[in-house]
Amino acid sequence: MAKTEYCALSEQTLNARIGQIDQVSNYLGGDPKSWDVKEVGDGNLNLVFIVTGASNALVVKQALPYVRMVGESWPLPLYRATFEHHALSRQAERDPGSVPHVHHFDESQALIVMEYLSPHVILRSKLIRGERVEGLGTFLGNFCARTAFRGSEFSMASEAKKADVGVFSGNVAIPAITEALVFTDPYYDAEMNNHNPVLDPVVEKLRSDVALKVAAQRMLQKFSSNTETMLHGDLHTGSVMCTDTESRVIDPEFAQYGPMGFDVGMLLANFLMSYFSQPAHRDPAELAAYQAWLIEQIISVIHQFNREFTRLWNSERTGMLYPTALFEDQGHSSADALHSTLSAIWEDALGICGIEMHRRVLSLAHNADFEQIEDVDKRGKLEARNLMMGRDLVLGRSGADPEQVICDLAARYNKEEVV
Ligand code: SR1
Ligand code: MG
């Protein structure tokens, strides 16, 4: 596509405009006029088209100059597509095969043409339907560990990492959304918030909890000033696409540098929200087994993160941090250093996990896991369990064993009548 002024695509205009990109046109095959184009974007921000030609299909994702779920009253810079493109290329290097292949990027049109994942579907919808995905926890544990480690100064040369932090520092609008919606809005009566009225007493409890608000702000301070690694930034179950046996991570448009525990913490929160919502989605006969499978995935993410991070620590620790010159080369073990690094990551992860469990119920952009439950009383009971567990995670994050604290709290709150 020639460099022209930005213009949002539509199902009617896409063929002619994308048809000008030889590489894309050749891949799709046939006359562009005959391509089938469907706009399928159901996310909060962008246009997403599936384009099917004579030979192949592709996804065309285009940023809109505003937040799609709210409208033009909330402008959002198009440059976010550039950061998404940067993130996709870095993730492809750091965890090969984990993200869709990019066929073409057009900065002026804020447009990424990428691999059409088929027959993959959004993980969240599979979890609501009670479907299982083979190897899910292992894949996600690897993704989080590899992107965390290989995007940090455990692995990267200091100059390269700092230069990349500089690149991503241009992405100011997107982090601002997370700073407000995730870390701050749940804890006061923010303008864009909404919650189920059944939750009023729980919300009152959370907002009166000064220790909780201090902890959330402490996590925000880390999120906004700690540049440990390049994050996906929005790793929920809507950012993972799966078949029954294969998974991929999509949509890193919230990528920024931040604490290593952020992605894995957000991901675990979304598994927990699926877990707590299941009584409304499953027959009683299937419920316990399916909830047990979700807990298995959580444990598998934690175990695989630790295993893979440890493997990388022992084999790829080539950056400035904890160099082998200080440890192994002098005949000293770095096992204690690894252990304290992992403890710090899990402390952050548990804090983020709890905060994400709050924001998806109290602020803008709720999760379908709960939103699809029509009976507000039933939904409220399940959301309340999730909110209270989130609080316990935030307040109990320091020194906790992630597997134990998550399993114990999930089992306890799953039976508790909070409201
Ligand atoms: C205004 S954007 C709302 C949410 O959608 C995205 O998926 C992120 O999770 C963001 O917080
Ligand atoms: Mg998204």
Side-chain angles (χ1 to χ4, degrees):
M1 199 186 298
K3 281 222 178 307
T4 47
E5 204 178 316
Y6 171 85
C7 182
L9 294 167
S10 70
E11 289 184 350
Q12 289 66 42
T13 61
L14 187 140
N15 305 46
R17 295 183 54 213
I18 298 294
Q20 296 168 29
I21 310 163
D22 288 346
Q23 182 208 349
V24 171
S25 187
N26 293 339
Y27 180 79
L28 286 168
D31 181 350
K33 289 198 188 81
S34 69
W35 295 344
D36 179 61
V37 182
K38 283 197 177 59
E39 208 278 312
V40 295
D42 62 353
N44 298 329
L45 300 180
N46 307 295
L47 295 170
V48 181
F49 301 89
I50 295 172
V51 191
T52 309
S55 318
N56 290 298
L58 285 169
V59 163
V60 176
K61 177 171 179 180
Q62 188 179 37
L64 287 164
Y66 53 86
V67 174
R68 182 177 183 166
M69 73 182 295
V70 173
E72 295 184 32
S73 62
W74 187 350
L76 198 62
L78 296 170
Y79 65 62
R80 66 185 189 272
T82 304
F83 293 101
E84 177 165 5
H85 179 238
H86 286 321
L88 281 168
S89 64
R90 285 153 184 69
Q91 290 167 343
E93 277 170 24
R94 291 170 193 165
D95 189 14
S98 63
V99 297
H101 174 69
V102 173
H103 286 253
H104 177 78
F105 173 59
D106 183 331
E107 186 160 22
S108 62
Q109 298 302 315
L111 178 153
I112 305 174
V113 182
M114 65 186 113
E115 181 182 358
Y116 170 48
L117 299 175
S118 175
H120 301 65
V121 296
I122 292 290
L123 173 59
R124 194 189 307 286
S125 59
K126 281 180 97 62
L127 301 184
I128 292 172
R129 291 201 296 262
E131 295 171 9
R132 291 169 170 80
V133 179
E134 219 177 285
L136 180 62
T138 306
F139 166 79
L140 290 168
N142 277 336
F143 178 83
C144 291
R146 289 172 186 168
T147 53
F149 191 93
R150 290 176 171 154
S152 77
E153 280 152 327
F154 288 118
S155 160
M156 289 174 79
S158 176
E159 302 86 328
K161 193 261 185 176
K162 286 180 174 67
D164 211 42
V165 171
V167 168
F168 276 84
S169 70
N171 191 16
V172 290
I174 285 277
I177 294 179
T178 306
E179 289 157 12
L181 259 52
V182 176
F183 288 95
T184 311
D185 290 3
Y187 306 107
Y188 80 109
D189 189 17
E191 199 185 331
M192 287 184 294
N193 283 355
N194 72 91
H195 69 255
N196 181 344
V198 173
L199 295 171
D200 280 347
V202 185
V203 174
E204 167 64 23
K205 202 172 191 164
L206 297 182
R207 291 186 184 157
S208 323
D209 190 333
V210 173
L212 175 64
K213 291 188 283 192
V214 169
Q217 288 299 296
R218 173 79 189 118
M219 295 306 304
L220 170 57
Q221 188 182 346
K222 277 197 169 180
F223 176 74
S224 62
S225 57
N226 169 330
T227 59
E228 275 174 359
T229 196
M230 190 200 78
L231 308 175
H232 176 284
D234 199 24
L235 191 56
H236 52 78
T237 51
S239 296
V240 181
M241 292 189 76
C242 306
T243 66
D244 290 346
T245 54
E246 207 227 23
S247 306
R248 302 281 195 97
V249 173
I250 62 165
D251 268 5
E253 67 201 315
F254 280 71
Q256 67 166 88
Y257 274 81
M260 288 185 157
F262 184 88
D263 283 342
V264 72
M266 180 175 277
L267 179 68
L268 295 182
N270 281 270
F271 274 113
L272 285 165
M273 286 184 269
S274 170
Y275 172 87
F276 282 121
S277 70
Q278 288 299 327
H281 300 304
R282 298 277 74 73
D283 284 342
E286 298 169 350
L287 177 61
Y290 195 66
Q291 283 187 314
W293 180 80
L294 288 167
I295 294 292
E296 267 173 43
Q297 302 319 301
I298 288 174
I299 294 172
S300 166
V301 168
I302 296 170
H303 285 187
Q304 193 59 31
F305 184 97
N306 286 338
R307 247 194 309 267
E308 183 64 3
F309 198 94
T310 300
R311 188 186 73 77
L312 296 171
W313 176 279
N314 290 323
S315 59
E316 293 187 15
R317 212 167 75 249
T318 52
M320 70 164 184
L321 291 175
Y322 301 88
T324 55
L326 296 186
F327 298 95
E328 289 81 356
D329 298 354
Q330 297 181 38
H332 301 146
S333 167
S334 63
D336 287 350
L338 169 62
H339 184 256
S340 73
T341 299
L342 283 169
S343 296
I345 292 174
W346 285 114
E347 177 172 332
D348 287 349
L350 292 174
I352 299 298
C353 181
I355 291 167
E356 170 78 358
M357 290 165 87
H358 291 161
R359 78 94 169 207
R360 290 290 184 188
V361 172
L362 302 180
S363 120
L364 187 75
H366 290 194
N367 272 8
D369 312 63
F370 288 127
E371 288 305 288
Q372 285 186 8
I373 305 169
E374 278 169 20
D375 179 334
V376 288
D377 291 320
K378 189 174 206 175
R379 167 150 57 92
K381 281 179 189 304
L382 303 177
E383 290 174 316
R385 293 172 175 172
N386 169 70
L387 289 178
M388 291 311 293
M389 173 163 172
R391 172 188 169 276
D392 289 4
L393 284 177
V394 175
L395 293 177
R397 71 193 188 283
S398 185
D401 174 304
E403 177 182 346
Q404 194 179 347
V405 73
I406 289 178
C407 292
D408 289 354
L409 288 173
R412 185 183 125 204
Y413 278 113
N414 194 40
K415 291 193 235 103
E416 201 150 309
E417 296 305 312
V418 179
V419 288

Coordinates of all heavy atoms in Angstrom, one line a residue, residues 98 124 146 161 262 276 286 292 301 351 403 410:
S98 N 5.4 -18.9 19.1 CA 4.4 -18.6 20.1 C 3.4 -17.6 19.6 O 2.3 -17.4 20.2 CB 5.0 -18.2 21.4 OG 5.7 -16.9 21.2
R124 N -10.6 -17.8 26.0 CA -11.7 -17.5 27.0 C -13.0 -18.2 26.6 O -13.7 -18.7 27.4 CB -11.9 -16.0 27.1 CG -12.7 -15.6 28.4 CD -13.1 -14.2 28.4 NE -12.0 -13.2 28.3 CZ -11.2 -13.0 29.2 NH1 -11.2 -13.6 30.4 NH2 -10.2 -12.1 29.0
R146 N 10.2 -17.3 29.0 CA 11.1 -16.9 27.9 C 11.1 -15.4 27.6 O 12.1 -14.8 27.4 CB 10.8 -17.8 26.6 CG 11.1 -19.2 26.8 CD 10.6 -20.1 25.7 NE 10.9 -21.5 26.0 CZ 10.4 -22.5 25.4 NH1 9.6 -22.3 24.3 NH2 10.7 -23.7 25.7
K161 N 19.4 -3.5 25.7 CA 18.1 -3.5 26.5 C 17.7 -2.1 26.8 O 16.6 -1.7 26.6 CB 18.4 -4.3 27.8 CG 17.1 -4.6 28.5 CD 16.9 -3.6 29.6 CE 15.7 -4.0 30.5 NZ 15.6 -3.1 31.7
F262 N 4.6 -9.4 35.9 CA 3.3 -8.8 35.4 C 2.5 -9.7 34.5 O 1.3 -10.0 34.8 CB 3.5 -7.5 34.7 CG 2.3 -6.8 34.3 CD1 1.7 -5.9 35.2 CD2 1.7 -7.0 33.1 CE1 0.5 -5.2 34.8 CE2 0.5 -6.3 32.7 CZ -0.1 -5.4 33.6
F276 N -13.7 -19.3 39.1 CA -14.8 -18.9 39.9 C -16.1 -18.8 39.2 O -17.2 -18.9 39.8 CB -14.5 -17.6 40.6 CG -13.5 -17.7 41.8 CD1 -12.3 -17.1 41.8 CD2 -13.9 -18.5 42.9 CE1 -11.4 -17.2 42.9 CE2 -13.0 -18.7 44.0 CZ -11.8 -18.1 44.0
E286 N -20.1 -32.1 35.8 CA -18.8 -31.8 35.2 C -18.0 -30.8 35.9 O -16.8 -30.6 35.7 CB -19.0 -31.2 33.8 CG -19.7 -32.0 32.8 CD -20.1 -31.2 31.6 OE1 -19.9 -30.0 31.6 OE2 -20.5 -31.8 30.6
A292 N -11.0 -28.5 38.5 CA -9.7 -29.2 38.8 C -8.7 -29.0 37.6 O -7.5 -28.8 37.8 CB -9.9 -30.6 39.1
V301 N 1.4 -23.7 34.7 CA 2.0 -22.4 34.4 C 3.1 -22.1 35.4 O 4.3 -21.7 35.0 CB 1.0 -21.2 34.3 CG1 1.7 -19.9 34.3 CG2 0.0 -21.4 33.2
G351 N 0.7 -10.1 43.4 CA 0.0 -8.8 43.6 C -0.7 -8.4 42.3 O -1.9 -7.9 42.4
E403 N 2.0 -21.5 44.2 CA 1.1 -22.7 44.0 C 0.2 -22.9 45.2 O -1.0 -23.0 45.1 CB 1.9 -23.9 43.7 CG 1.1 -25.2 43.6 CD 1.9 -26.4 43.4 OE1 3.1 -26.4 43.1 OE2 1.3 -27.5 43.5
A410 N -8.2 -20.5 46.4 CA -9.3 -20.8 45.3 C -10.2 -21.9 45.9 O -11.5 -21.7 45.8 CB -8.6 -21.3 44.1

